[in-house]
Amino acid sequence: MRFVRKGLKAGLVSWLLFLIVWQLVAMNSNPDYFPTPIQTLKGAVELLTDNSLISYVLISFKRVVLGWLLGSLLGIPAGLLIGRFKWLRELVEPYLNFFRFIPALAFITLFILWFGIGEPSKVILIMYATLFIVILNTAAGVVNVEDDKIRSARSLGASERQILIHVIIPAVVPAFFNGVRLAMGNSFMAIVGAEMIAANEGVGYLIWTSRLYSKTDWIFVGLLLLGLMGFAGDQLLRWMGKTTLGRYGIAKETRFGK
Amino acid sequence: MSRYPLISTDAITDASTEENASQSIISIKQLGKSFVSGSGKGAVRYQVLKDVDLNIKRGEFFILLGPSGCGKSTLLNLIAGFEKQTEGELLVDGKPIDRPGKERAMVFQHPDASLFPWLNVRENIEFGLRMQGVSRGERKAVSDRYIELAGLTGHERKFPRELSGGMKQRVQIARVLANDPELLLMDEPLGALDAFTRRVMQDELVRIWTETKKTVIFVTHDIQEAVLLGGRIGIMSIGPDSRVFEIIDNRLEYPRDLTSREFNLMQKKLQSIFQDDLYFHL
C-alpha cells in the first residue's frame, strides 16, 4: 500500500496506467494509425541509430533556448520599466493588449520573408513568443510590489535607485520567474509550428515529415520527445530557480501551486 | 467644542501653546488633509483631517486613539512624509516635512507587506545601514545589539516566512531601531496579532521604549492598549474633518498593571468619551 502511494506521488502510477491504456487501445486498432508502446520504442531506436533523433532534439532545444533567453533578457528590463513608469505603461498597454492575441506562429511567413529561411527567423519567432509573457508578468510584478515595502525602504534612507535595485527587483523575482517558465511552454508550441512549416531538421520537422512515410510510430516518438523536452526544461529551470533564487520565494510549489 | 463636557480647556492650551518649541519634536498647526476621488464633474473632495493642532514632546510615548476611519493613519503618514498635507503646518525639529526621512521610522501594521521576505532577520535589520553604506563589521555590531534588544537572538538567520506574527513585528521594530531614528511611528503594529501575543508585545514595547527613550507615536483603536502604553493619549474625532480634540495625560507608572484600580479608572474615563453621544457630533 505504502509502495503504491509513493509511486502515485512520484507519478509512476500515472505513467504505468498510461502505458496500459495505450497498449490496450493500440492492440485494438490498426498499427498504421496507432502503434503500440513497443512499436513506438522500436521507431525510436530506428531514429537513434541513424543519429537523427539526438540531433533533432538538440536543434529544437537550441532554437528554443536561444530565442527564449533573448526574449527574457529583453523582456525583463522592458517589464521593469513598464511596471515602474505609469506613463510608459499607459503608452504601451494598447500594443501589449493587441499583439499578445496574435499567436507567434502567425508571424512565421513574415519572419521568413524578413529574416530568411535559416535559424534567425526561428529564433526571432521564439523571442516574440517569449517577450510578451515575460514583459506582462514582470510589469505586473512591479505594479504589485506592496507600497509598504517601498515606504519602508524610503524611510530607512534608501534612494530611488536603491529602491529599484534592493526592493523592486528582488520583490519581482517570483513574478518574473513565473513569466519565463510560462514562456518556456509557449516557446515549445511556437518552435514545433515553425519547424513543421519551414525547416529541414528538428522535432517539429520529424513529426511533419513522418506522415509522408506513414511512420505513425515516429510521430508518436516526436510527440513523446516534445513532452519530455518540455518537462526536462521546466524541471531544470525550477531546479535552478530553487537553488539560486530560493530566498526570493521560489519554493517547491509544484503541482497546481501546492 | 465648548459644549463638550469632558474637554478640559486646560488640556488643549497645554498641548498646543504653552509647550515651548525646544521641548517638542513635532509641532502641528492647523493641519488639514483632503483627498479628491473621481474626476471631472463626479469628483468628490473628502476632508480627512481639519485643523489638527498637536505638539509631540521629545521622548514621550504618544497615542493617537480613535475609531477606524478617523484619519489616525493619515496623520501618521503625513508625519512620515509619505503623503503631503493640503493645509497647515507640520514641523519636525522646526523644519517642514517634504519627504520620508530616516529620522522618522515607520512600523507598519502588516509585517508581510513591509518586511523584505528575501532577506533574513539580520539582513532585514541591517537594511537601512546597508543603504547608507555602513561597513559590514559596523552593521553586525549594530544588528547584534538590536537583535538582542528585540528578543530575536537565535533567529538571526531565519527568513520572515519562518517567523510568527509577533516575531515578525519584533523584526520590524529592530529594523527601524537599528537606523537610530528620532521618532518611531507605529501604525497599529499589534493589531493583527492574537490576544496573547499582543499582550506580550505590549510589555515588550514598553520595555524597548524605556531602554531606548525614543519618541513614539502609536496609533490604535484599542482603549486598553492606549492606557497600557501611552504617556499622553490624543483622542481623535470621527471623520470627516477629524482633529485631535482632547489629550489625556496618563501618569500611571510603567510597567502598568491591567488589573489595578487606577488603570481601570483611566480606562473608564476614556471609555466615557467614546460612549458619549456628543462624541459623534463633534
Side-chain angles (χ1 to χ4, degrees), chain A residues 4-223:
Chain A
V4 173
R5 206 171 289 162
K6 259 189 176 166
L8 197 63
K9 214 174 170 186
L12 290 176
V13 174
S14 322
W15 286 109
L16 200 67
L17 208 67
F18 179 83
L19 285 173
I20 291 169
V21 173
W22 179 4
Q23 178 71 33
L24 287 176
V25 175
M27 273 168 22
N28 295 304
S29 18
N30 183 341
D32 286 338
Y33 293 122
F34 211 116
T36 63
I38 300 292
Q39 285 162 337
T40 307
L41 189 67
K42 278 184 186 153
V45 171
E46 278 169 32
L47 289 166
L48 263 173
T49 45
D50 73 353
N51 280 330
S52 50
L53 187 119
I54 301 283
S55 76
Y56 285 175
V57 167
L58 287 180
I59 282 163
S60 295
F61 220 83
K62 198 187 87 190
R63 287 169 179 154
V64 166
V65 169
L66 205 61
W68 169 83
L69 261 179
L70 287 171
S72 302
L73 286 178
L74 217 72
I76 292 164
L80 282 173
L81 289 174
I82 290 167
R84 194 82 182 104
F85 299 108
K86 202 168 171 229
W87 62 268
L88 192 61
R89 196 155 64 243
E90 284 163 352
L91 182 73
V92 299
E93 205 154 29
Y95 306 139
L96 290 176
N97 282 331
F98 180 78
F99 280 102
R100 72 193 175 99
F101 289 108
I102 306 178
L105 203 54
F107 275 104
I108 188 67
T109 41
L110 262 187
F111 283 180
I112 288 170
L113 198 67
W114 292 344
F115 308 110
I117 189 89
E119 291 307 294
S121 57
K122 276 140 212 134
V123 172
I124 289 169
L125 189 80
I126 302 301
M127 206 174 102
Y128 174 89
T130 303
L131 198 61
F132 287 102
I133 300 179
V134 175
I135 288 181
L136 285 169
N137 273 276
T138 309
V142 175
V143 173
N144 288 329
V145 176
E146 292 103 330
D147 254 357
D148 283 2
K149 278 194 179 54
I150 294 169
R151 288 178 163 186
S152 293
R154 215 168 260 154
S155 60
L156 287 167
S159 67
E160 291 307 303
R161 200 180 61 93
Q162 284 176 322
I163 287 172
L164 178 68
I165 293 169
H166 296 288
V167 181
I168 292 174
I169 291 179
V172 167
V173 167
F176 124 75
F177 191 75
N178 252 342
V180 295
R181 259 184 81 189
L182 285 171
M184 177 72 95
N186 260 33
S187 302
F188 273 101
M189 281 185 228
I191 196 60
V192 169
E195 287 175 345
M196 283 179 168
I197 293 167
N200 302 315
E201 295 159 305
V203 179
Y205 167 79
L206 171 71
I207 293 171
W208 193 244
T209 42
S210 297
R211 111 209 113 99
L212 299 176
Y213 316 112
S214 308
K215 291 290 284 182
T216 330
D217 51 342
W218 286 3
I219 294 178
F220 271 56
V221 172
L223 292 175

Side-chain angles (χ1 to χ4, degrees), chain B residues 14-29 54-60 91-95 182-183 215 232:
Chain B
D14 180 57
S16 56
T17 55
E18 276 175 29
E19 229 104 39
N20 59 42
S22 67
Q23 206 189 353
S24 50
I25 178 167
I26 291 183
S27 98
I28 295 171
K29 284 195 188 80
L54 184 64
N55 280 307
I56 306 286
K57 292 184 252 180
R58 202 173 293 278
E60 77 170 322
L91 303 176
V92 174
D93 278 327
K95 279 173 289 210
E182 289 183 47
L183 191 62
T215 314
R232 287 196 306 152

